[in-house]
Amino acid sequence: MTTARIALVTGAASGIGAAVATRLAADGASVALLARRRDRLEKVAAEIAEAGGTALVVPADVTSEESVAAAAAHVQSQFGDVDLLVNNAGLMHVEPFADGPIDAWRRTVDVNLTGVINVTHAFLPALRRSAAARTTDLINVSSLAGEHINPGMAVYGASKAAVSHLTRTLRAELAGDGIRVTDLEPGMIDGTELADSFPPELQAAVDDLRATLPAVPVTEVADLIAYVAGRPRNVNLPHLIIQPSKEV
């Protein structure tokens, strides 16, 4: 049960992040919505408020240490200590490694990995204070691409593999503080924007694959995260995979 939790969700402007924020707010959590696009965040916040929930719009760039520090200070001033952090912000650039522009690879690593590092480090003091008195969770959304070999996804997969390894190590470091740490690896998910920048021929193939599987709706990912956060304080689910039944 997530009632009375104080949550921060990154990448909350759309897709998994928006679904997670909406579900947590519906369960009674006060949710800080962090992403770059203020207009999209305000839309999600308005929908949460209309449903009777509490949401705070926090425009920030996870790749900027200064931007994230300012976001942490703002959330602290409005909500107090966060006790549920969901690192979800991410992007996917698919292209053969030899052809891919270095700038695109750098941006992928900056958002997918450095963003998790920046946000976690900025909010860790609040998580530690929360853990002294109540259930506290750090949930990092990685990807099955970090385990599987997918041509064209070398850098994306590497960034997600790094997130999973970081998460496992953080669990070892933070267990003594009472902070539960979970690595969540989604497979093919429907309702995200990750594939929106794919070349047309690849987009068509992805659409066909989603129809064949079919893909898991983002609401199922949100339900799973709510379930993780709702376990008794002495129970941790360290590593979870969610994927279509037909995906291998």
Side-chain angles (χ1 to χ4, degrees):
M1 192 176 208
T2 51
T3 302
R5 300 292 294 268
I6 298 175
L8 174 85
V9 181
T10 72
S14 63
I16 291 175
V20 170
T22 300
R23 171 58 195 270
L24 295 178
D27 285 350
S30 297
V31 186
L33 313 173
L34 191 152
R36 291 181 298 110
R37 297 173 292 181
R38 177 185 286 273
D39 58 332
R40 297 291 294 273
L41 290 177
E42 289 176 345
K43 182 176 183 295
V44 175
E47 292 171 353
I48 288 174
E50 186 176 352
T54 300
L56 176 68
V57 171
V58 187
D61 181 355
V62 297
T63 70
S64 166
E65 194 174 346
E66 294 76 14
S67 181
V68 171
H74 182 53
V75 173
Q76 185 70 37
S77 70
Q78 298 299 308
F79 281 170
D81 290 330
V82 165
D83 58 37
L84 173 54
L85 170 56
V86 181
N87 278 310
N88 164 74
L91 61 81
M92 180 190 297
H93 184 88
V94 177
E95 199 165 348
F97 184 80
D99 301 335
I102 292 297
D103 284 350
W105 300 148
R106 183 178 295 111
R107 179 68 179 167
T108 298
V109 173
D110 282 348
V111 173
N112 294 356
L113 176 58
T114 306
V116 173
I117 293 171
N118 286 341
V119 174
T120 304
H121 191 260
F123 283 89
L124 186 54
L127 292 173
R128 278 182 160 147
R129 289 191 296 268
S130 295
R134 60 187 190 271
T135 302
T136 300
D137 290 281
L138 167 60
I139 301 173
N140 291 335
V141 180
S142 181
S143 172
L144 268 181
E147 296 188 15
H148 296 174
I149 295 174
N150 299 297
M153 294 187 183
V155 176
Y156 175 75
S159 71
K160 289 301 189 176
V163 168
S164 291
H165 186 79
L166 173 67
T167 306
R168 290 190 293 268
T169 305
L170 286 174
R171 180 173 181 268
E173 290 190 9
L174 301 178
D177 294 320
I179 299 173
R180 305 189 302 194
V181 180
T182 297
D183 175 36
L184 175 60
E185 298 181 354
M188 181 69 74
I189 306 298
D190 195 20
T192 77
E193 297 180 346
L194 284 179
D196 288 355
S197 61
F198 286 5
E201 64 278 6
L202 182 56
Q203 182 64 62
V206 170
D207 290 343
D208 289 344
L209 182 60
R210 282 176 168 163
T212 301
L213 288 173
V216 174
V218 290
T219 50
E220 290 292 337
V221 183
D223 288 349
L224 180 56
I225 287 177
Y227 178 82
V228 170
R231 294 311 84 215
R233 192 178 180 186
N234 65 327
V235 176
N236 183 209
L237 301 176
H239 180 207
L240 295 170
I241 294 171
I242 181 168
Q243 65 184 123
S245 299
K246 294 182 180 181
E247 183 178 12
V248 295

